[in-house]
Amino acid sequence: MAGVTGCSQGGPEGKADGAKGTGGGSPTGAPAAPTAAAASPGAAGGTLPQLPGQTFYVSDQTSVARQAAALRGQGRTAEADTLLRIAAQPSSQWLGDQAARDIADQVSRRAAEVDRTPVFVVYNIPHRDCGLYSAGGASDAAAYRAWITGLAEAIGDRRAWVVLEPDAIAHTLDSCGVKGDAAAERYALLAFAVQELKKRPQVRVYLDAGNPGWTQDERALAEALRRSGIAAADGFAVNVSNFFTTERNAAFGAQLSALLDGKHFVVDTSRNGNGPLDAEAWCNPPGRALGAPPTTETGRPGVDAYLWIKNPGESDGECGRGEPAAGQFWLPYALGLAAAGAGTAG
């Protein structure tokens, strides 16, 4: 969720699978899980240049990169140039279906060829997103463990950063998420995922920890993160698919880090250039802007990177207004974000 309390704050949807709305759903606004056809990179390598000094991989196979290429082919060069403000920056590859293993293999190989690090978002936990916009996930615990093992094997010895299961932990603490034995199983699955991914020597793992407007009890959140394997992870992620300013996220993350033996964290700055519209507006709010570009040079102690975890331009969900489904590219919204420019996310 991206909101403040319970399930009405909007979670990570709008990510690869959707965003959460009042009464449930994910606060991050993730995109829908990509299909192999949509996300699978070509064999020849990307046509978008890698930015000098940039750590992270810029893929020409993102939805915004493909849309920019299509617009240019139609002679709509002004719109294509505007979209390049998004497409030329590194963004994340969401993994949430059975094609994920092949996609992880192909993307990590292409990134290695240009000496860059891909960012993956693993989003396939059973009972995902309270059954709302981003509903779905693995059929059961055994299927999830097998799926995670396959992803780890696909990445192999190549470099990668992984943001693990947006909303999964925060949803165990709000009014719409799994509880009791189901929550315990979820924590165990997350700990397993951390363990499997960290067997790979060049993989960094960040467990999702929601956002400053969602979980109000940071001690309960810290305990849930401990049960989910944070000790073995590289840290946690905040603001996935949300809009809170970097300043607020840094303060929230620092408070949580103090409860977790100083664990570092990353911040999703993809759409926080203008901050949030208001506490409840997590689903495709108007007037937002791109935030600080992805970088490991944050200048903030304990903040390992600013990342574009949510792919700018992909819908958070229908939002009760008939807007595109979660994770679907939405040209007018993408153009609005890009035209507003990259903010300081401060």
Side-chain angles (χ1 to χ4, degrees):
M1 314 173 75
V4 178
T5 60
C7 297
S8 64
Q9 305 312 319
E13 309 188 357
K15 312 166 200 164
D17 293 84
K20 123 186 238 167
T22 302
S26 147
T28 53
T35 64
S40 170
T47 58
L48 287 173
Q50 304 300 312
L51 301 174
Q54 175 60 260
T55 298
F56 302 109
Y57 176 56
V58 179
S59 172
D60 67 339
Q61 294 298 309
T62 62
S63 55
V64 67
R66 289 193 297 269
Q67 182 67 68
L71 289 172
R72 199 170 300 284
Q74 297 165 14
R76 298 164 65 179
T77 56
E79 290 172 300
D81 288 345
T82 298
L83 287 188
L84 280 180
R85 298 176 190 173
I86 300 174
Q89 294 291 341
S91 57
S92 302
Q93 175 68 61
W94 288 72
L95 302 171
D97 65 6
Q98 294 308 307
R101 178 170 182 157
D102 288 343
I103 295 169
D105 175 58
Q106 293 166 12
V107 171
S108 61
R109 284 181 185 279
R110 288 187 66 184
E113 289 170 0
V114 292
D115 194 28
R116 292 295 187 273
T117 301
V119 178
F120 294 113
V121 184
V122 170
Y123 193 53
N124 197 36
I125 200 77
H127 313 297
R128 191 177 63 198
D129 192 32
C130 297
L132 295 175
Y133 291 153
S134 297
S139 58
D140 56 28
Y144 185 76
R145 286 192 291 268
W147 185 81
I148 285 289
T149 298
L151 286 186
E153 292 172 347
I155 296 170
D157 293 340
R158 295 184 288 273
R159 293 197 307 268
W161 286 31
V162 176
V163 175
L164 188 58
E165 296 296 350
D167 295 348
I169 293 174
H171 267 320
T172 67
L173 303 174
D174 66 18
S175 60
C176 69
V178 295
K179 298 292 183 288
D181 290 345
E185 178 185 75
R186 173 166 292 186
Y187 297 146
L189 289 176
L190 292 169
F192 173 84
V194 172
Q195 179 184 48
E196 285 297 291
L197 290 163
K198 288 302 296 178
K199 288 178 181 177
R200 304 298 156 175
Q202 297 197 83
V203 173
R204 298 177 67 89
V205 179
Y206 294 87
L207 277 161
D208 183 67
N211 62 67
W214 192 353
T215 303
Q216 301 303 297
D217 187 341
E218 289 186 12
R219 291 190 178 278
L221 177 57
E223 175 58 25
L225 284 161
R226 281 190 286 269
R227 294 181 65 184
S228 301
I230 190 70
D234 294 278
F236 57 92
V238 297
N239 204 48
V240 174
S241 301
N242 219 292
F243 304 88
F244 291 101
T245 65
T246 303
E247 187 69 32
R248 186 169 177 187
N249 279 295
F252 170 68
Q255 292 168 357
L256 189 55
S257 174
L259 299 172
L260 293 168
D261 301 318
K263 279 291 182 182
H264 287 202
F265 58 100
V266 298
V267 180
D268 185 354
T269 60
S270 58
R271 305 183 298 175
N272 75 345
N274 285 342
L277 181 62
D278 60 52
E280 298 291 328
W282 58 267
C283 195
N284 298 329
R288 302 310 89 205
L290 302 175
T295 182
T296 56
E297 302 296 325
T298 68
R300 296 179 185 270
V303 181
D304 285 348
Y306 302 146
L307 300 175
W308 284 9
I309 300 174
K310 165 73 174 179
N311 294 317
E314 292 182 351
S315 176
D316 293 322
E318 297 178 4
C319 307
R321 302 185 291 264
E323 293 169 357
Q328 297 300 307
F329 186 77
W330 187 14
L331 180 58
Y333 200 77
L335 290 171
L337 289 170
T344 63

